[in-house]
């Protein structure tokens, strides 16, 4: 795989904080625990409604992951809940299976 193109919901402009902190992994399994971290958003500067991420690794699965854990402190920019407002996720290179993982407010 060469790169991954993510298109978020177009009206997301004023709500980019909902997506803040997301992770993008490539793996040969369905677990992010044994995978390669391709990208981790670390703040509002890096998120736009179109995101191209260069990730030159081999793998079978693309894992998009976001979380908001009740016991963890997040920057003020992050929304209270983790959201997935993806319109499209394109992988350039080999054909892969895409997995969306959600962990919202684990208490």
């Amino acid at each position: 795989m060469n790169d991954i193109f993510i298109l978020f919901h177009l009206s997301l402009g004023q709500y980019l904080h909902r997506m803040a902190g997301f992770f993008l992994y490539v793996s040969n399994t369905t677990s992010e625990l044994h995978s390669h971290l391709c990208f981790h958003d670390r703040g509002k500067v890096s998120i736009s409604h179109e995101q191209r991420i260069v990730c030159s690794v081999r793998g079978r699965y693309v894992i998009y992951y976001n979380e908001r854990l009740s016991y963890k402190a997040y920057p003020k920019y992050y929304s209270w809940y983790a959201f997935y407002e993806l319109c499209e996720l394109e992988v350039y290179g080999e054909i892969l299976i895409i997995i969306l993982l959600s962990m919202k407010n684990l208490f």
Side-chain angles (χ1 to χ4, degrees), residues 67-102:
E67 67 184 7
R68 299 295 187 270
L69 304 173
S70 63
Y71 56 84
K72 186 174 178 182
Y74 293 97
K76 288 184 178 182
Y77 180 73
Y78 283 38
S79 64
W80 184 256
Y81 298 99
F83 288 86
Y84 294 100
E85 299 199 45
L86 298 176
C87 287
E88 198 170 312
L89 197 145
E90 300 172 6
V91 176
Y92 294 91
E94 298 176 26
I95 298 174
L96 305 173
I97 298 170
I98 298 165
I99 300 171
L100 301 177
L101 296 179
S102 177

Side-chain angles (χ1 to χ4, degrees), residues 28-44:
N28 283 318
T29 70
T30 58
S31 171
E32 76 279 4
L33 299 175
H34 299 96
S35 60
H36 174 79
L37 176 63
C38 287
F39 181 81
H40 177 210
D41 173 67
R42 299 193 188 275
K44 67 180 180 178

Side-chain angles (χ1 to χ4, degrees), residues 48-62:
S48 70
H49 76 279
E50 293 182 356
Q51 193 99 19
R52 183 167 303 278
I53 297 164
V54 175
C55 186
S56 298
V57 297
R58 295 182 66 92
R60 187 172 177 198
Y61 300 93
V62 173

Side-chain angles (χ1 to χ4, degrees), residues 5-20 22 47-51 64-66 68 79-89 100-102 104:
F5 178 73
I6 301 173
L7 181 61
F8 295 111
H9 192 277
L10 261 175
S11 66
L12 192 59
Q14 64 185 6
Y15 302 110
L16 287 176
H17 62 285
R18 292 179 175 183
M19 306 302 288
F22 76 88
I47 293 184
S48 70
H49 76 279
E50 293 182 356
Q51 193 99 19
Y64 180 94
Y65 176 77
N66 205 352
R68 299 295 187 270
S79 64
W80 184 256
Y81 298 99
F83 288 86
Y84 294 100
E85 299 199 45
L86 298 176
C87 287
E88 198 170 312
L89 197 145
L100 301 177
L101 296 179
S102 177
K104 292 186 182 179

